[in-house]
């Protein structure tokens, strides 16, 4: 069960946290566009942003314009959108399953999406750009279905759900490794293994647009179910007493989380722990009501992943780490703390 919240803010406090998160996100994106192997000033970043959006015509060196607009800003915004999407998915899954450890990575959904995406990449199933997202979606749904079967629909308790998630992740990771070993050449293997650790390399504006559309629509849809999520967080019986169609709502929300996970994994690979760490932090700050929890999870999930990407690009000189490595280094200790606090709960 999701742990109780001890320090909720009032409505004004919630608005202040949201505004602070948005301001911090702007700062994070500007820093992400400014910092790197070739540092540029914030003023140059702002000029390049104005030029790229058509809001101005400032004198910016072509090389600076290319690095800032075509690479760093696209990468930073993709990180923000992905962080928001993963945090929202984690928030929704924790409410649906009443499990403090639920999120796409821990439950094996990301692993399933990776298997589906890699199958399309290597075997050419579906072909073209639509094939990879569709393959990732099918893999994500298959992985989550396996977890539900093994955990009796989540009714067998927290430990059973997490063990089912571990089993699902191991199975789909093994399938992915088999596909790579049997069908990929050396160059493909290296690229896929780096991608599977979570990589923002190669992100372009069309990718950003697609991810923004998917995550934006998903967030709006989830916001329509905030009352249902509040009820489900306290159990199916309480939700039904509110007149909610639990089966239909659960199916719709699980489909949304699978779609978002698939869309992001198909672009970035598996990035873990964002959907675990951020919802707990926000729930501690503003309370369990999803009307305020979901927007804040999205904003601070975006912040979290942008700052992780900055660390990934700067922590090792002349080398960019997979962003999944950084999120795991932060998320694994958080996972252990949450697991310790959840001991004894069923």
């Amino acid at each position: 069960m999701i742990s109780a919240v001890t320090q909720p803010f009032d409505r004004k406090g919630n608005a202040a946290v949201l505004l602070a998160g948005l301001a911090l996100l702007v700062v994070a994106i500007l820093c992400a566009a400014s910092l790197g192997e070739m540092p540029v000033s914030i003023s140059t970043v702002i000029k390049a942003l104005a030029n790229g959006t058509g809001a101005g015509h400032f004198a910016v060196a072509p090389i600076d314009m290319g690095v800032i607009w075509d690479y760093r800003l696209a990468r930073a915004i993709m990180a923000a959108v992905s962080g928001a999407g993963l945090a929202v998915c984690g928030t929704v899954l924790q409410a649906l399953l009443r499990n403090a450890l639920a999120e796409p990575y821990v439950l094996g959904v990301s692993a399933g999406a990776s298997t589906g995406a890699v199958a399309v990449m290597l075997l050419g199933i579906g072909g073209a750009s639509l094939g990879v997202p569709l393959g990732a979606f099918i893999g994500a749904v298959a992985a989550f279905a396996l977890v539900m079967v093994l955990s009796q629909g989540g009714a067998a308790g927290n430990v059973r759900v997490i063990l089912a998630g571990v089993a699902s992740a191991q199975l789909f990771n093994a399938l992915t490794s088999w596909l790579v070993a049997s069908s990929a050449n050396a160059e493909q293997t290296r690229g896929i293994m780096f991608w599977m650790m979570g990589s923002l390399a190669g992100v372009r504006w069309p990718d950003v647009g697609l991810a923004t559309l998917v995550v934006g629509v998903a967030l709006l849809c989830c916001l329509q179910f905030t009352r249902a999520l509040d009820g489900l967080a306290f159990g199916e019986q309480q939700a039904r007493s509110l007149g909610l169609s639990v089966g239909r709502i659960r199916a719709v929300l699980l489909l949304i989380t699978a779609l978002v996970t698939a869309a992001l994994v198909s672009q970035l690979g598996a990035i873990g722990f964002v959907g675990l760490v951020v919802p707990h932090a926000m729930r501690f700050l503003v309370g369990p009501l999803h009307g305020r929890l979901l927007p804040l999870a999205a904003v601070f999930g975006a912040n979290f992943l942008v700052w992780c990407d900055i660390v990934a690009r700067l922590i090792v000189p002349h080398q960019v780490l997979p962003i999944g490595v950084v999120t795991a280094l932060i998320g694994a200790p958080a996972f252990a703390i949450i697991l310790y606090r959840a001991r004894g709960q069923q």
Side-chain angles (χ1 to χ4, degrees), residues 56-79:
H57 301 282
F58 298 99
V60 179
I63 188 172
D64 288 343
M65 188 68 195
V67 169
I68 295 170
W69 179 257
D70 294 326
Y71 175 64
R72 292 183 184 172
L73 274 174
R75 182 183 178 117
I77 295 176
M78 186 65 160

Side-chain angles (χ1 to χ4, degrees), residues 102 105 111 154 168 185 220 247 273 283:
Y105 188 83
S168 176
N185 57 39
L220 291 176
F273 298 106
R283 197 176 287 113

Side-chain angles (χ1 to χ4, degrees), residues 17 27 32 170 259 284 295:
V17 173
V27 172
Q170 292 298 318
L259 178 61
F284 180 80

Side-chain angles (χ1 to χ4, degrees), residues 120-320:
V120 173
M121 291 177 190
L122 295 180
L123 304 180
I125 301 172
S129 59
L130 291 178
V132 173
L134 179 59
F137 177 72
I138 293 172
V141 171
F144 196 83
L146 178 60
V147 171
M148 290 296 97
V149 169
L150 293 177
S151 64
Q152 301 174 20
N158 289 353
V159 174
R160 185 73 172 267
V161 173
I162 297 305
L163 290 176
V166 171
S168 176
Q170 292 298 318
L171 172 62
F172 282 96
N173 284 334
L175 288 173
T176 302
S177 298
W178 175 73
L179 285 170
V180 172
S182 62
S183 304
N185 57 39
E187 183 178 350
Q188 287 175 321
T189 299
R190 183 179 182 279
I192 289 174
M193 296 307 293
F194 190 86
W195 170 82
M196 285 176 59
M197 291 186 286
S199 173
L200 288 161
V203 167
R204 296 294 179 263
W205 284 110
D207 304 323
V208 177
L210 176 61
T212 302
L213 176 63
V214 171
V215 172
V217 171
L219 177 59
L220 291 176
C221 290
C222 290
L223 287 173
Q224 305 305 309
F225 291 97
T226 53
R227 179 169 170 267
L229 287 169
D230 291 339
L232 286 168
F234 292 97
E236 290 189 13
Q237 185 174 354
Q238 287 83 347
R240 289 194 175 93
S241 69
L242 297 174
L244 300 175
S245 177
V246 173
R248 181 182 64 84
I249 292 169
R250 174 174 287 166
V252 170
L253 290 174
L254 290 178
L255 187 66
I256 289 172
T257 57
L259 178 61
V260 172
T261 301
L264 298 179
V265 168
S266 67
Q267 297 291 339
L268 309 180
I271 298 175
F273 298 106
V274 180
L276 178 68
V277 175
V278 175
H280 281 283
M282 293 301 99
R283 197 176 287 113
F284 180 80
L285 285 176
V286 302
L289 297 180
H290 289 81
R292 56 193 179 188
L293 181 59
L294 282 172
L296 286 168
V299 169
F300 282 90
N303 269 288
F304 179 74
L305 206 57
V306 174
W307 287 109
C308 283
D309 183 50
I310 293 172
V311 172
R313 290 192 288 117
L314 297 179
I315 192 170
V316 179
H318 312 297
Q319 184 177 348
V320 179

